[in-house]
Each structure stands twice: as structure tokens, then as C-alpha cells.
Amino acid sequence: METEVRRVALRTGVTLPTLLAGPRGGVPLLLLHPWGESRRTFDRLLPLLPPSTAVIAPDLRGQGAADKPDGGYSLAQMTDDVAALLEALGVATACVLGSSSGGYLAQQLAVDHPELVASLILVGAPLSLRSRPAVAADVERLSDPVDELWVRDSLSWFRLLHAVPAWYIEDRVRDGVAMPARAWKGILDGLCQAVPPTEQGLITAPTLILWGVHDSLLPRRQQETLAARIPGAHLVIYESTGHLVLWECPERVAADVVEFLGSISQA
């Protein structure tokens, strides 16, 4: 799959390094990474997608190699960045896959800009983040430079039931260390202060929801509620998998994504 990384300057005032892979034209697959990570979280997924898949994978504001301003980390502002990215790339509509909090951002995009979202794939994505997670107190104590040992400890917040390559874990450590404390705090605050997207408006895009049955953060009843709020959404439950579905099961995620995108293209 042919790839390039382009630094895209947005009307929102930030520049987002963005991986562009596969052929140009058609409806691309936009990949939105979780809080504390980067576009490289999809490095194990990309080789599993058909070479014909056009991919857009940005580093989001405050993360990866993206600009890290003092502010602008509300869910609405982060969503505006994504809409501005598609605008800058001349993309009229995209299939959108969001992992974990990236799935919260994907839902907000589908509510605020339904014309941009051809379909939606939510991978371990929350229904609501209004209840601040227990780790919020740790995040509030962060200062610069962010301690690598703290980042390593943070990766144990969610239990892994499948083996994950050491190089991939090390990449996630580098992602965390690259973020300033203000970005860690600002993004978490923005997520927790936002009105849940499905309480703001109706999501009409065809939607696939992938969830691990041992997810300690997102209970099953919330995933069932999320599916019920999106007309026609299909919930797929991964047994023996926790919250980090993309980390644990990239092969299965790729297969489910390909099957879903194929099914809606034929509808």
C-alpha cells in the first residue's frame, strides 16, 4: 500500500501530520486514534486492509507530531479539526473508524457533520464520558516533562487478554511521552465535559460497533444503549477481549471492517 505523510495546515489554526495511504479517489477510511496515542496506533491494522483501501490517519491536536497549543481541546474543537482536515484534503465524505475516545470524536463528527460521514465504525467507543475515570486524579498531577514511567504505568490501566508485540507497546510509550501535560489534561477535560454525542443529535450513518466483553471501562449495557440510539447499528461482541480491541485483535477488526464496508457498498 503506497503511503505518504503530509503536514496539513487547517483553518482551525493547527497543523496535523496525516498519513495518506492507498489510491486517491473514492470514499476513504478515516482513522481516529484514542487519547494519549497517535496515528501509529493503526500500524498493525493498515497492512491487513485491502491495498485498494484509501486511508486518512491524522495525528490529532496535542498528540503525536501534531501541533500542541495551549488550548482548543474541547470535543467540539477537536471535531472541527477533523472536519477542517477533510475540507483541506478535498474529501467530501469518508467512512470513519474511531478507536476508544477516537470513537467518541467520530460520533460527534457524525452528529455535527453528517454529510461528511458515509459510515461509522466504533471500536471500544464510549456512550458517555461524563463520569470522570478514576485515573483523572493521576492526570491532574502531571507536569512537564511527562514522566516515561508514568506513561508505562498508564498502559496497564486496561487488562490485555491477548499478546501484543513489544514494539507496539514501546510506540505507545513514545506517544505518551511526546504529549505535554496540558494536552493530557485538556483532552481528558474536553471529553468529560462534553454532552454525549448521541444526546445531542441523531446519527444516521450505517454503523458497526465492536466491543470486548471484558471491557472494564465500558459496560455491556452502555454498548447496547449506544447501538439502540443509532438506527440500524450492528453490535459485534468480541469474547476474551478487553477495552483495547484494536491492540488485541487487529486481524479480526480488519476482517470485520472489510466485511462491513463491503456490505454497505452493495446496499
Side-chain angles (χ1 to χ4, degrees):
M1 182 182 288
E2 185 178 344
T3 66
E4 71 165 301
V5 176
R6 184 184 306 173
R7 292 187 60 83
V8 185
L10 309 183
R11 57 171 169 75
T12 55
V14 294
T15 296
L16 305 186
T18 302
L19 174 72
L20 303 173
R24 304 295 184 262
V27 179
L29 178 63
L30 172 65
L31 304 177
L32 302 178
H33 66 77
W35 169 57
E37 300 187 23
S38 75
R39 68 179 188 274
R40 297 185 185 278
T41 200
F42 298 106
D43 280 356
R44 296 173 67 213
L45 179 70
L46 288 176
L48 303 171
L49 298 174
S52 58
T53 308
V55 172
I56 300 171
D59 284 341
L60 300 172
R61 175 189 294 245
Q63 298 153 100
D67 288 350
K68 301 172 176 65
D70 290 339
Y73 295 110
S74 72
L75 184 61
Q77 290 167 303
M78 300 280 281
T79 302
D80 199 24
D81 282 348
V82 176
L85 174 66
L86 294 179
E87 176 185 310
L89 293 174
V91 174
T93 187
C95 304
V96 183
L97 183 153
S99 175
S100 191
S101 62
Y104 211 50
L105 177 58
Q107 292 172 55
Q108 191 67 51
L109 184 69
V111 169
D112 290 350
H113 300 279
E115 74 286 356
L116 295 179
V117 180
S119 60
L120 195 59
I121 303 165
L122 306 176
V123 184
L127 166 71
S128 171
L129 288 172
R130 276 179 157 168
S131 297
R132 292 180 71 83
V135 300
D138 282 350
V139 175
E140 285 304 314
R141 290 191 288 268
L142 285 178
S143 59
D144 293 321
V146 172
D147 183 47
E148 179 181 326
L149 290 178
W150 180 86
V151 175
R152 289 187 183 279
D153 286 344
S154 76
L155 298 183
S156 67
W157 290 343
F158 305 110
R159 178 185 172 200
L160 293 172
L161 288 88
H162 294 74
V164 176
W167 67 263
Y168 187 83
I169 299 292
E170 291 305 309
D171 275 357
R172 304 292 71 72
V173 172
R174 284 189 284 271
D175 286 344
V177 172
M179 288 174 60
R182 65 179 177 275
W184 277 103
K185 297 173 186 180
I187 297 168
L188 180 61
D189 287 345
L191 292 167
C192 293
Q193 291 169 8
V195 176
T198 56
E199 294 179 18
Q200 297 182 42
L202 182 66
I203 294 174
T204 57
T207 300
L208 174 67
I209 302 172
L210 308 179
W211 173 76
V213 74
H214 295 287
D215 192 328
S216 60
L217 177 66
L218 310 176
R220 182 173 185 147
R221 58 183 170 76
Q222 289 191 9
Q223 294 294 289
E224 292 171 343
T225 299
L226 178 60
R229 288 184 180 176
I230 303 175
H234 180 47
L235 172 61
V236 176
I237 296 173
Y238 285 26
E239 302 294 337
S240 302
T241 306
H243 176 65
L244 299 174
V245 174
L246 183 67
W247 291 31
E248 295 196 64
C249 305
E251 296 86 0
R252 184 171 176 189
V253 171
D256 284 339
V257 167
V258 170
E259 181 180 2
F260 172 67
L261 296 180
S263 69
I264 61 176
S265 68
Q266 297 169 9

